[in-house]
Amino acid sequence: MKIEKIQILKGPNIWSIRRKKLIQMRLDLEEVEHLPTNKIEGFRERLEKLIPSLITHRCSEGVEGGFFQRVVMGTWMGHVIEHIALEIQTLAGMDTGFGRTRETKSPGIYNVVFSYLEENSGVYAAEQSVEIAACLIEGRHYDIDACIQELREIRERERLGPSTGSIVEEAAARKIPWIRLGRNSLVQLGYGVNQQRFQATITGKTSSIAVDIACNKELTKKMLDEAAIPVPSGDLVSEPEELEKVIRKIGYPIVLKPLDGNHGKGSSINVNDMESAIIGLQHAQAYSRRVIVEKYITGYDFRVLVINHKMVAAARRVPAHIVGDGEMNIQQLIDKENLDPRRGYGHENVLTEILVDKDTNELLEKLNYTLETIPHKGEIVYLKSTANLSTGGTSIDVTDMIHPENVTMCERISKIVGLDVCGIDIMAENLTQPLKESGGAILEVNAAPGFRMHLAPSEGLPRNVAAPVVDMLYPQGKPCRIPIIAVTGTNGKTTTTRLIAHIVKNNGYRVGFTTSDGIYIQNTMLTKGDTTGPISAEFVLKDPTVEFAVLETARGGILRSGLGFSSCDIGVLTNIKEDHLGLNDIHNLKDLTRVKRVVLDSVRKGGWSVLNADDDYSMRLMPDIESKVAIFSLDENNPHITKLAKEGKVTCVYEDGFITIKKGDWKIRIVKAINVPITMEGKARFMISNVLAASLAAYLQGFAIEDIANSLRTFIPSPALTPGRLNVFRFKKFKVLIDFAHNPAGYEAIEDYLKNVDSPKKIGIISGVGDRRDGDIRECGKIAGRMFDHIIIRNEKHLRGRTEDEINGLVIDGMQSSGKDVSYEIIPKEIDALKHAMSLAEENTFITALSDVISNAIDLVQEYQHKEILEEGTTL
């Protein structure tokens, strides 16, 4: 078996709109294609022995053990690999559960698709599932435990932390989109101007000064003390002499902690002699030169969480410990405690496994214990000096037990320090009494406090502390999204996208849009190239200045990674025509339709799908679309238009020379087509179709008719604004048209336009595209033969697996089948072909250059235009 390709899908895709995170593995089974599972002796037994938990997979049988039933009956190895990939992720703490395996049109080659939680773990699961299957087939040993552990380690390296993850989950539950910025915990919620950012539990609203105060423990202590809030007595020291002086003043027991420390690092507690104090000083100075020495306050360790200056949760924290039974030693008791199903590796479970480290050994040494010591029955032996959950500590929720006076005090502390998300550490016998009565004290105030102890306490009620963070970032009525119009289809996408963006900009929005020639914010190109994929869409949505997004969305990006947005307000489908067929398992228009409908399926509830009523495959989608649907047509008598008009629905038509919105039988005329420059005085019907699509989308978005009309009148086609989209250059004797047309439908659109061009000699410069089907290349040649008097065949720079002679032969075959005797010549280089065509030009000659790469042609023609202007000036 051989993995041909692994793709990471991150957004709505052809397999699922809801399940955005999928691995798509293209797998060649090779000789295993002829070995279903029931023909491999002992396969089921080896599989069940290696991964017995697969018994829970119900599969299509719908019962526990259903997958194993399929294995016994005989199923293909791609299906088995799908289930293995899902199960090893589950065993590593990543329960996902969605999978599909489909054979491609290439025999023995399958697309194995399954969900993942972390990208790299998904890729690793894909690779290892194939290796596991190979080992099972051949009867070789496979170390499943090592695989699961590696997956866990990948997960811990890649995943968002518990606090960040909880906020993301809460936002997602509210349908707030999110984007991870980089590989760490920096996350963007929302899109464009409505975005909010946070990292761990530091938000975009967190004051930098407040963080500095919280990180300076001595300053925090001073500010709280001056505000009559109880804090332990103590001072700052750097030298042993200073330490001895402070101890004489406050007495034992003491606590030492680094001034700039966090998460309990470098701390020593309940120190009762000078020798231990010196060791504690040295330990703390590994983190900070200056060390806080405080009176050790007896009691329990509490953490109170305050968000947006409101107390939301409180927990008692208990350091990792074991309880003696009089029989087992400390190491055995640790091992027993780690068998608790609530404990896991890293953050995979409510509790973390207890690991023996330097801190553990130091604590045991103080008790004159070792790991072999057998504690007395009921004896509690603490294994960590701090109560952090990440080191095996536990937490007990006490939110409902905290005294109102303590609540008020904690909320006041958050305002004194200035933190929007604030963790307050308290040492006290309890929180049911005011601190001034219980003798407790505030130990620390923390910026970026962890949420895990509140989200999943080992005892007591879990508290959804992520909710108040999202409430703070997005109070009621504050939008999180910006309007998104996504445009897909075979031809006309870029022009339609630019038209819509022009209308949006003219209505006062700062618009970001993606096209096949670049990413634009307003009219400034920020990135050049084909930017119609998910990365480009995300570029626009991450820009904090963008108020409205118009996103050209091509098939390549959808197939490669899915959509770059979770949903859109309006999805526009211009048409579905033969192009790029035979690539990436897209072999016919039905396959292509499946890709294009991803955009329409992503339209939000209450949004609109805009379809071309003149396009058969587009209209086949109409019954299955869940959003509202509006259609457009060049013919107001189109039967689909007539049907929707009778139902009182909104449509857009070209009638009597006008671009017209119809609401039922009522007509709202926007503008005459001849007054819309992009239509070439109404001669370019395919451009009129693009105008209809853009006008209908703009109308459905809520823009006024007069604003749409003004925008259409002021959208002037040019090489700068619409490169390669019906660009006409006028010379003294002839004209040159450059267009992006590169498929049969595009050629037919140019043919329709040229029928309205009065010229005695029409010269065409064309080429075949190597990654198109033979029939598509021939069809382009046939159409060219019909519309030109003389043809110059040139060669594309990238032949994409074919030879020049092979491609040219297909073009010539097509030309000769056109029924017209047309002359032709072959000039390989585009620049030479253009120069030669212009040298052949007579009075009123019309030259048309068609290509899917047009920048070089435009540059050359503009250079010739400039020379002609200079020559005319010299003559004058």
Side-chain angles (χ1 to χ4, degrees), residues 83-84 91 130 187 193 197 222 229 243 249 277 367 382 393 395 399 405 419 423 471 476 549 645 689 703 762 781:
H83 280 268
I84 292 173
L91 292 172
V130 176
V187 173
V193 294
R197 294 176 185 168
K222 183 175 183 295
I229 290 170
L243 173 61
K249 180 180 177 182
L367 297 170
Y382 288 101
S395 66
T399 305
E405 194 171 306
L419 286 170
D471 290 339
Q476 192 169 6
S689 185
F703 295 127
K762 295 176 182 176

Side-chain angles (χ1 to χ4, degrees), residues 162-163 302-304 313-317 350 387-389 394-397 425 449-459 461-463 465:
S163 302
F302 294 97
R303 164 64 65 82
V304 177
R316 179 159 74 87
R317 301 185 296 179
V350 173
N388 294 325
L389 269 66
T394 57
S395 66
I396 302 166
D397 179 72
D425 292 343
F451 284 1
R452 188 179 173 202
M453 70 185 75
H454 308 295
L455 294 165
S458 43
E459 293 181 38
L461 285 176
R463 305 287 172 171
V465 294

Side-chain angles (χ1 to χ4, degrees), residues 49-63:
K49 181 180 178 182
L50 185 69
I51 314 176
S53 54
L54 280 169
I55 191 72
T56 61
H57 289 218
R58 304 169 76 86
C59 205
S60 56
E61 301 303 303
V63 295

